[in-house]
Amino acid sequence: MDVAANCSLRVKRPLLDPRFEGYKLSLEPLPCYQLELDAAVAEVKLRDDQYTLEHMHAFGMYNYLHCDSWYQDSVYYIDNLGRIMNLTVMLDTALGKPREVFRLPTDLTAYDNRLCASIHFTSSTWVTLSDGTGRLYLIGTGERGNSASEKWEIMFNEEVGNPFIIIHSISLLKAEEHSIATLLLRIEKEELDMKGSGFYVSLEWVTLSKKNKDSKKYEIIKRDILRGKSAPHYAAIEPDGNGLMIVSYKSFAFVQAGQDLEENKDENMSEKIKEPLYYWQQTEDDLTVTIRLPEDSTKEDIQVQFLPHHISIVLKGQRFLEGNLYSSVDPESSTWIIKENNSLEISLIKKNEGLTWPELVVGDKQGELLRDSVQCAAIAERLMHLTSEELNPNPDKEKPPCNAQELEECDIFFEESSSLCRFDGNTLKTTHVRMFALIVVFTGTSKVNLGSNQYLFSVIVDPKEMPCFCLRHDVDALLWQPHSSTQDDMWEHIATFNALGYVQASKRDKKFFTCAPNYSYAALCECLRRVFIYRQPTPMSTVLYNRKEGRHVGQVAKQQVASLETNDPILGFQATNERLFVLTSKNLFLIKVNTEN
C-alpha cells in the first residue's frame, strides 16, 4: 500500500540572519515610466452569484499581467478587443507601444458568464490560453524572442467544459512524442451540498498530444480532476509530468471523471448523520479507538492494518477508515480486539510519548475525541498562566500572562493551517504531505498567531523548474524551490527575505506580492497607487555605527516606496531582475529597480 510521507521543510541556517536590523527607508528616486494603453484591459468583475471567499481569491484577485519567464523583461496582457498585447523592454528611455501578437477568435463581450482570459507560457515556443468562456487554446509561437521566427498559430482549440482559468502548464517530450499538460481551475456549484456555500473548487489536469506524427494538430488524451473546498494558494505540475504539488487551506483529492450524482448524494447523506463514526481517547503513551460494529460481525469481517504513519480499517469488505495519522505510532505494539458489547477497540502506542494529538487521522472529522476529567483539569492547569480576569496581573512572575494589547495587528492571523501535498500522476494518490501547523493561544476573544508558515506568494525563478513558493518563517519570508527528482528532500530553501514576513503583515491593503528571480529584492503593491520595494542587504559605502550594540554596521537593507500617478486600481504586478511592471485598466507602468546588468 502506498502511504503518504509526512515531510518537513528543512531551513538552511546559513541563509538566515539573526542580527538583521531592519529596513532603512531610502529617499532615492526610482525612475518610473508610463505607457497609455490603446484599449482597456479585459477586466472581468465578480458577478452577484460569485460571492464566496474562494471566488475572490481565484478571480477577484487575479493578476492580469503575465510575465514571460523564458524571455527577460517581456510582459503580456489581454485587452477588451481580445488582443494579446506584448511589451518587451530593451531600453527604458526608448519604450515602444505594446504590440499585438495574437487575437482571440471569440468575441468576449458576447458572453455574460465568462471569467477573465488567462495565459501561461508553457515553454519558449508554446503557450496555453483560455478566453474565459470554457475554451482551451494551445498555441505554437515559434521563438518569441526572435521577431523573424515568432508566429502564433493555433494547434488546439476546443470547448472543454465550464469557464476556467489556467494556473500552470508544462511541455513534455517523451520517446519523441510531444505533449502539453495544463491545470485548469474552476469554482462550481454543488447542488447536493447542503452545508456551507454549496461551491467546490475543481482542478482539472488536462494532457494534450499530437493526433499522429504527421499532424500538427493536438487532441486531449487524458483528463483527471481534483476537488477541494478552497482555492489553492499554489498548484503546479512537475517538469517530468509525473506529479502535482498543491498548497491549499483545505485538502484536495482526485475524483473519477464523470462521478455520478448518486455517489455524491450518498456522501452528503452520510455527512448529515450526527453520531460520530468512531470515538477515541488518548493518554501520554497511547490512543484508544472505539468503533460500533454492525450486527453479527466476526473476526473474519475485520481487517486492520497498522503502519508508522498510516491506519486502514476495513469492515465486511468496505473501507471504514483510512488515512495518515497525526503522528507516528509503533505498529508492532498496536493491537485490536472485539469487545463483548459488539464494538471494536483499537490500541495505538505513540512513538512520541507526551505529544497531545488534536486529531486521529489528518483531515478526518468523522470521529469524536473523548476527554476524561483528569485530562481536562491538567490542560486547564497548564494554560492557567495565559488567562486572567485582570488585564495584566503580576507581569514580573515566572510565567507572565499573555497580554493581547502588547501584540500588534500584524500578529493576529485568522486563517487556519494549510498543507503542501504532492500527488502522484499515475496512482493519483498523495505521496508527500507537509502541514503548516499554527501555534495559537486564546486571550479573551482574540485568536493570536504566535508562529506559522503562512503562504505569501509564488514566483518563477527558473522556467525549466516548478514555480517557487514563499512562506513566512517566524518574522522572515523564506523562498522554497520544489524538486520532484529528490524524493527525500523535495523542497529546497534557496533564499531569505529578512523580516519580510512580519513587514508584509502590516500592509493591510496589499494586493500583489512577488520578488525578483535573482532574489535581489521583494516587492508588494496596494490596491491603489503605492508600491513597496524591499532590497537585500548590501555593503555600505560609508561607515555606520550601532551605538546600542557597540559595533560597526557593514550592510544595510533599503526600503523604497513608489507612488503611481493614477487613481485606477492596480490589476497586474510582475517583477524581473531589473524592473517592476504595474498594470492598471488604462496604463502600464515600468519602475526601474536595479541598474546593474
Side-chain angles (χ1 to χ4, degrees):
M1 176 184 295
D2 295 328
V3 180
N6 289 308
C7 302
S8 61
L9 298 174
R10 299 175 185 174
V11 176
K12 293 182 179 179
R13 297 297 171 185
L15 296 182
L16 302 181
D17 183 6
R19 303 184 71 179
F20 181 72
E21 298 182 346
Y23 293 96
K24 311 300 181 185
L25 180 62
S26 172
L27 300 180
E28 296 176 11
L30 288 167
C32 183
Y33 307 90
Q34 179 178 350
L35 291 174
E36 187 175 352
L37 308 183
D38 294 336
V41 175
E43 180 187 6
V44 178
K45 297 184 183 296
L46 294 179
R47 305 188 302 270
D48 290 341
D49 59 344
Q50 296 174 321
Y51 53 83
T52 69
L53 186 61
E54 310 316 321
H55 286 101
M56 175 58 71
H57 283 165
F59 310 135
M61 299 290 287
Y62 185 74
N63 193 337
Y64 286 85
L65 189 61
H66 309 275
C67 187
D68 187 349
S69 55
W70 300 89
Y71 300 97
Q72 274 288 334
D73 296 293
S74 183
V75 293
Y76 294 75
Y77 66 92
I78 302 172
D79 66 17
N80 275 334
L81 302 179
R83 301 179 301 173
I84 298 179
M85 307 296 290
N86 165 245
L87 176 68
T88 301
V89 180
M90 303 299 292
L91 187 64
D92 299 279
T93 55
L95 293 176
K97 282 281 189 180
R99 64 187 180 97
E100 176 184 343
V101 296
F102 183 77
R103 188 181 292 247
L104 289 166
T106 311
D107 180 10
L108 300 182
T109 59
Y111 293 84
D112 294 331
N113 296 328
R114 68 183 176 94
L115 299 176
C116 46
S118 55
I119 186 172
H120 191 269
F121 297 94
T122 311
S123 74
S124 60
T125 57
W126 291 95
V127 163
T128 50
L129 175 65
S130 165
D131 60 9
T133 68
R135 185 169 291 275
L136 175 65
Y137 295 86
L138 175 61
I139 299 174
T141 63
E143 293 290 341
R144 291 189 294 277
N146 187 341
S147 57
S149 62
E150 181 176 4
K151 181 182 178 182
W152 290 48
E153 181 180 0
I154 297 176
M155 299 298 181
F156 176 85
N157 174 12
E158 192 173 305
E159 193 87 23
V160 293
N162 293 333
F164 59 87
I165 60 172
I166 298 173
I167 55 176
H168 193 240
S169 62
I170 61 168
S171 176
L172 297 167
L173 186 61
K174 294 182 179 180
E176 298 185 358
E177 180 179 344
H178 182 249
S179 61
I180 299 288
T182 184
L183 274 180
L184 316 179
L185 184 145
R186 300 180 178 93
I187 298 180
E188 301 186 283
K189 186 73 174 177
E190 178 60 87
E191 300 296 339
L192 297 175
D193 187 1
M194 306 302 293
K195 301 194 307 181
S197 65
F199 288 93
Y200 67 89
V201 180
S202 168
L203 278 178
E204 185 172 7
W205 185 349
V206 178
T207 304
L208 306 170
S209 185
K210 279 188 178 181
K211 293 182 178 180
N212 53 67
K213 291 184 178 180
D214 299 329
S215 174
K216 287 187 176 182
K217 299 300 181 181
Y218 284 67
E219 64 180 355
I220 296 177
I221 60 171
K222 187 179 180 183
R223 299 176 75 164
D224 294 306
I225 298 175
L226 299 97
R227 283 191 184 181
K229 283 292 187 179
S230 66
H233 300 305
Y234 170 99
I237 306 171
E238 295 173 355
D240 56 10
N242 292 331
L244 169 71
M245 294 188 190
I246 298 176
V247 178
S248 61
Y249 159 45
K250 295 184 179 178
S251 61
F252 277 77
F254 275 101
V255 297
Q256 295 179 357
Q259 184 179 26
D260 58 28
L261 296 179
E262 289 299 323
E263 184 177 345
N264 287 335
K265 185 175 180 181
D266 292 340
E267 292 177 359
N268 289 327
M269 290 299 293
S270 66
E271 289 180 357
K272 294 179 184 178
I273 301 175
K274 294 183 179 180
E275 184 177 352
L277 201 61
Y278 59 89
Y279 297 90
W280 64 288
Q281 297 174 288
Q282 63 178 315
T283 65
E284 291 189 350
D285 305 316
D286 57 28
L287 305 105
T288 302
V289 183
T290 304
I291 300 170
R292 184 179 298 276
L293 295 172
E295 294 185 5
D296 303 324
S297 295
T298 63
K299 184 177 181 181
E300 288 72 23
D301 297 329
I302 302 170
Q303 296 178 7
V304 181
Q305 183 177 24
F306 304 112
L307 292 173
H309 295 279
H310 192 85
I311 189 171
S312 173
I313 304 172
V314 177
L315 300 180
K316 292 189 174 183
Q318 300 293 322
R319 186 177 66 183
F320 181 84
L321 178 65
E322 182 174 3
N324 297 318
L325 296 169
Y326 175 79
S327 186
S328 57
V329 298
D330 183 357
E332 300 296 331
S333 303
S334 301
T335 60
W336 62 271
I337 187 174
I338 299 178
K339 304 288 286 186
E340 294 180 357
N341 59 356
N342 198 36
S343 65
L344 173 65
E345 184 176 286
I346 301 173
S347 296
L348 301 172
I349 307 302
K350 296 179 180 179
K351 275 194 174 180
N352 300 321
E353 296 181 2
L355 175 65
T356 301
W357 291 26
E359 57 184 347
L360 179 68
V361 175
V362 176
D364 184 79
K365 307 297 183 184
Q366 303 176 90
E368 180 178 324
L369 172 62
L370 301 178
R371 298 186 190 272
D372 58 31
S373 58
V374 177
Q375 288 179 319
C376 294
I379 293 173
E381 184 177 355
R382 287 201 301 267
L383 299 179
M384 186 67 70
H385 70 282
L386 297 176
T387 60
S388 174
E389 293 181 358
E390 300 178 43
L391 181 61
N392 193 12
N394 194 10
D396 297 325
K397 66 181 181 180
E398 182 180 356
K399 291 184 177 181
C402 178
N403 187 354
Q405 292 188 353
E406 296 177 354
L407 297 166
E408 301 180 46
E409 289 185 5
C410 56
D411 289 316
I412 301 175
F413 181 57
F414 293 98
E415 187 177 5
E416 298 296 336
S417 60
S418 297
S419 63
L420 167 59
C421 298
R422 180 193 180 269
F423 293 87
D424 185 270
N426 297 316
T427 64
L428 307 183
K429 293 183 178 180
T430 308
T431 62
H432 296 73
V433 177
R434 161 63 178 166
M435 300 298 295
F436 301 147
L438 300 184
I439 306 172
V440 297
V441 299
F442 291 89
T443 58
T445 59
S446 298
K447 183 178 180 181
V448 183
N449 173 34
L450 300 182
S452 73
N453 292 121
Q454 177 192 3
Y455 177 87
L456 300 178
F457 63 87
S458 65
V459 64
I460 298 176
V461 169
D462 181 352
K464 295 180 182 179
E465 296 285 347
M466 300 178 71
C468 299
F469 54 84
C470 190
L471 304 176
R472 179 173 176 174
H473 179 87
D474 196 9
V475 298
D476 297 332
L478 272 55
L479 198 63
W480 299 88
Q481 173 68 67
H483 295 293
S484 58
S485 57
T486 55
Q487 295 293 318
D488 295 334
D489 193 9
M490 301 195 74
W491 302 293
E492 180 189 3
H493 174 202
I494 60 173
T496 300
F497 296 100
N498 298 297
L500 197 57
Y502 177 82
V503 172
Q504 63 82 33
S506 66
K507 308 299 181 186
R508 305 192 65 177
D509 293 328
K510 68 176 180 292
K511 185 171 185 181
F512 298 118
F513 196 2
T514 188
C515 73
N518 63 359
Y519 338 128
S520 60
Y521 69 92
L524 63 86
C525 70
E526 296 182 337
C527 297
L528 289 171
R529 286 194 170 191
R530 291 202 297 177
V531 175
F532 298 86
I533 298 167
Y534 302 92
R535 298 180 182 271
Q536 294 283 18
T538 54
M540 291 289 298
S541 57
T542 58
V543 178
L544 288 181
Y545 190 75
N546 187 320
R547 295 180 180 178
K548 184 177 181 181
E549 297 185 7
R551 63 181 179 87
H552 290 285
V553 178
Q555 292 184 323
V556 65
K558 295 181 180 179
Q559 171 192 348
Q560 293 175 283
V561 183
S563 184
L564 306 178
E565 296 182 358
T566 180
N567 292 320
D568 296 326
I570 294 176
L571 300 180
F573 192 64
Q574 295 290 346
T576 66
N577 291 337
E578 296 185 14
R579 301 171 179 90
L580 269 173
F581 296 88
V582 187
L583 181 70
T584 66
S585 60
K586 301 174 185 176
N587 294 278
L588 178 60
F589 294 87
L590 186 154
I591 301 173
K592 184 74 170 179
V593 179
N594 291 325
T595 56
E596 299 84 358
N597 292 326

